[in-house]
Amino acid sequence: MAGKKSKELSYTLPEQFHVFGFSSDLLAWYDSQKRDLPWRINRDPYRVWVSEIMLQQTRVETVKPYYANFMEKFPTVGALAEAPEEDVLKAWEGLGYYSRARNLQAAAREVQARYGGVVPDTPEEISTLKGIGPYTAGAILSIAYEKPEPAVDGNVMRVFSRLLYLTDDIAKPATRIKIEHLVRQVIPQGRAGDFNQALMELGAMVCVPRSPQCLTCPVFDYCMARQEGVQEELPVKGKAKPPRPVHLQVGVVMREGSVLINKRPDTGLLAGMWEFPMVETEVERESAKQEVLSEGLRERFAVDVEVLESLGEVQHTFSHLQWNMQVWSCDWIEGDDLPAHARFVPVDELDSYTFPIAHHKIREIMKHKSDRY
């Protein structure tokens, strides 16, 4: 940190947090300023659980309509456990990070089988469920069951890094563990859930990543980073590796009003979702791309096609990959013995299949390029 000396802090909170009532100051602000969010209407553990999984890596405003639709379709643990996976993925379509939905359903089936549909209320039991890490466990236990467990997400790490002038790298697991220990020391008896939500709310609304709103902060007086004028330099976060670029040729293969789609494998990236067939290649010439796509479709799907024109390009970035997709209009020539994971479907029936966001972008290109789609 340029011009500022790094301050090391022990695992014990400064005395003023207890003496001057940090928790009560934060809760007073939360009680008057908290947002009206659909998952806050009650403390049902299942509703809390679904909201926390949806909110991972996803903005609140994006989640709201998905949450309402999901809860209408799967109002209980049992309803989610018994639903076909395809229906669950369809309800999740567009939210991304689809392993969250599959893990949520797998965990719901375990809760149904082992706990009679009741979400467990101990750290030991709830942490064994698929997709539930330390943060989600703490959020469910505190919000639904008022257990004094910390729920430390990115917002909370940012808030505490600034409050205590912590220069630990928040990308490291040891830093999260340290902040959990510190948060636990100020969780008030009987209001654990509200306190954890207040910390998250503070990070989302006031102690934001850039240009924190210090003058409206309810715990302004406790903040060591603000006293030193370094609040915008915190938290410290190590840089992640940039996503690896992958170049793909995508075939929109038409046959008498139907288009070829295939289902991805049951494990791995975007598992079990449908897509337009893709072939990875590093070639640069347009004619070479067409040839690679044609050969790839023949090898994977036993179909011969004529690759016509490029419809455009689509880019989609995952945490570790960047798909650079060139989309090609193709006409089927021959080949009917498709593999089990592929099929031709009428274009007007595509909405009944679950596609990842990247392939929704392809569908938009199709709609704008030609009336044949």
Side-chain angles (χ1 to χ4, degrees), residues 51-124:
S51 71
E52 291 298 341
I53 298 298
M54 284 193 169
L55 287 164
Q56 292 170 7
Q57 308 288 327
T58 312
R59 293 175 59 253
V60 166
E61 291 305 313
T62 301
V63 166
K64 283 181 180 179
Y66 282 95
Y67 180 78
N69 177 59
F70 197 90
M71 295 309 302
E72 183 179 347
K73 284 184 165 64
F74 316 111
T76 64
V77 170
L80 179 59
E82 294 164 10
E85 183 185 270
E86 188 73 30
D87 291 355
V88 176
L89 289 175
K90 188 66 181 174
W92 205 272
E93 187 177 34
L95 267 181
Y97 301 96
Y98 293 93
S99 60
R100 294 182 297 172
R102 283 187 292 272
N103 290 341
L104 178 61
Q105 185 176 37
R109 287 172 174 164
E110 192 172 351
V111 168
Q112 188 71 7
R114 289 177 57 193
Y115 304 106
V118 179
V119 180
D121 64 354
T122 68
E124 296 75 22

Side-chain angles (χ1 to χ4, degrees), residues 60-347:
V60 166
E61 291 305 313
T62 301
V63 166
K64 283 181 180 179
Y66 282 95
Y67 180 78
N69 177 59
F70 197 90
M71 295 309 302
E72 183 179 347
K73 284 184 165 64
F74 316 111
T76 64
V77 170
L80 179 59
E82 294 164 10
E85 183 185 270
E86 188 73 30
D87 291 355
V88 176
L89 289 175
K90 188 66 181 174
W92 205 272
E93 187 177 34
L95 267 181
Y97 301 96
Y98 293 93
S99 60
R100 294 182 297 172
R102 283 187 292 272
N103 290 341
L104 178 61
Q105 185 176 37
R109 287 172 174 164
E110 192 172 351
V111 168
Q112 188 71 7
R114 289 177 57 193
Y115 304 106
V118 179
V119 180
D121 64 354
T122 68
E124 296 75 22
E125 290 176 320
I126 202 168
S127 295
T128 66
L129 298 176
K130 200 163 187 180
I132 294 188
Y135 163 74
T136 307
I140 297 169
L141 292 172
S142 62
I143 298 169
Y145 294 118
E146 286 298 352
K147 303 279 182 169
E149 294 291 330
V152 175
D153 67 352
N155 280 324
V156 176
M157 285 197 282
R158 182 170 61 256
V159 168
F160 262 68
S161 291
R162 289 169 174 168
L163 282 170
L164 302 178
Y165 194 166
L166 292 177
T167 56
D168 307 62
D169 183 351
I170 64 168
K172 295 182 176 178
T175 304
R176 178 185 55 76
I177 293 169
K178 180 176 182 176
I179 292 175
E180 283 178 350
H181 185 86
L182 293 164
V183 170
R184 194 184 291 276
Q185 295 173 42
V186 279
I187 298 176
Q189 189 68 31
R191 294 202 69 185
D194 284 344
F195 177 77
N196 281 335
Q197 290 183 93
L199 277 179
M200 296 176 218
E201 197 87 334
L202 187 69
M205 306 300 293
V206 177
C207 196
V208 292
R210 287 172 289 279
S211 302
Q213 309 299 303
C214 294
L215 295 179
T216 62
C217 179
V219 289
F220 177 95
D221 292 328
Y222 301 86
C223 186
M224 297 180 185
R226 192 271 309 170
Q227 291 165 14
E228 296 285 347
V230 296
Q231 63 270 26
E232 294 196 35
E233 297 176 38
L234 292 168
V236 173
K237 185 176 183 181
K239 289 186 177 180
K241 290 182 181 178
R244 177 175 64 86
V246 178
H247 300 282
L248 298 160
Q249 308 306 312
V250 185
V252 179
V253 181
M254 297 298 298
R255 184 185 72 179
E256 298 174 353
S258 292
V259 62
L260 180 63
I261 61 174
N262 73 279
K263 195 172 189 180
R264 294 180 66 85
D266 291 334
T267 57
L269 180 67
L270 305 174
M273 303 190 76
W274 292 87
E275 66 182 7
F276 301 103
M278 303 191 298
V279 178
E280 185 175 348
T281 177
E282 293 294 329
V283 300
E284 295 184 4
R285 286 186 299 109
E286 297 292 278
S287 59
K289 292 176 182 178
Q290 291 173 285
E291 187 175 337
V292 167
L293 178 57
S294 177
E295 290 176 358
L297 293 174
R298 185 180 301 115
E299 289 175 10
R300 289 186 56 202
F301 301 99
V303 294
D304 285 319
V305 305
E306 181 183 4
V307 181
L308 303 172
E309 61 177 338
S310 175
L311 297 175
E313 296 182 359
V314 168
Q315 190 175 83
H316 187 79
T317 304
F318 302 92
S319 58
H320 61 302
L321 296 174
Q322 183 182 69
W323 279 359
N324 299 304
M325 311 160 75
Q326 186 160 359
V327 185
W328 295 88
S329 174
C330 304
D331 275 346
W332 172 84
I333 298 174
E334 63 179 355
D336 292 307
D337 193 17
L338 294 174
H341 58 80
R343 64 185 61 171
F344 278 98
V345 298
V347 172

